[in-house]
Amino acid sequence: MVYSIEPRKREENMKICKVIGKASASLKHPSLEGIKMVIVQELTTEGHFSGKVHLSADPMGAGDGEIVAVTTGGGAGAEICGTRGVCDAAVVAILDSVSLSGREIHSSKPL
C-alpha cells in the first residue's frame, strides 16, 4: 500500500490573543535559549475566547491577562528564533486597546 502525504499548508497571520499562562522547559532547542514562552488563547471579534490555544515565544515580556498580538507561521520563527529557529508563534506587541467598527473590545486604560 502506498500513502501520499502532502505537506500541511501553514497559515501565516496575526491573531489577537490573551495571555492565559506561561510555560518553561529545562531541555529545549538551542534557538529557544533565553526566550520566555507563554500560553495564549485567541479572542473573537467580540472579545470572547475562541477556544484556540497556542504556545508562543514572548520576547515582549507579556504578563498574565494581557491582550497581545501574536504572529504565526515561519516568519515568526525566523525573526524571533533566527533562521534555524523552531518557533512558529511569537508575541509581537502588547495591545493597549482594540476596537472594531467603532466598538471597543479591549482597553488597558482605566475608565
Side-chain angles (χ1 to χ4, degrees):
M1 185 171 272
V2 176
Y3 293 96
S4 174
I5 300 174
E6 293 185 29
R8 185 174 58 157
K9 188 175 182 181
R10 288 197 137 160
E11 192 175 303
E12 294 192 26
N13 56 27
M14 251 196 232
K15 301 167 185 340
I16 299 171
C17 299
K18 183 175 185 176
V19 177
I20 60 170
K22 57 186 172 181
S24 63
S26 54
L27 290 173
K28 55 190 160 199
H29 190 274
S31 68
L32 293 173
E33 283 301 322
I35 295 177
K36 178 182 162 191
M37 293 184 285
V38 293
I39 301 166
V40 296
Q41 189 166 25
E42 289 184 36
L43 296 177
T44 65
T45 55
E46 290 80 33
H48 303 292
F49 289 117
S50 71
K52 295 181 182 178
V53 176
H54 305 276
L55 179 62
S56 177
D58 179 22
M60 304 304 296
D64 281 347
E66 289 195 285
I67 304 300
V68 295
V70 174
T71 186
T72 59
E79 188 65 30
I80 304 304
C81 298
T83 55
R84 295 191 176 271
V86 295
C87 30
D88 72 347
V91 173
V92 293
I94 298 172
L95 303 175
D96 296 322
S97 64
V98 178
S99 62
L100 294 167
S101 301
R103 187 175 57 84
E104 189 167 64
I105 63 169
H106 164 72
S107 176
S108 61
K109 298 174 186 169
L111 298 175

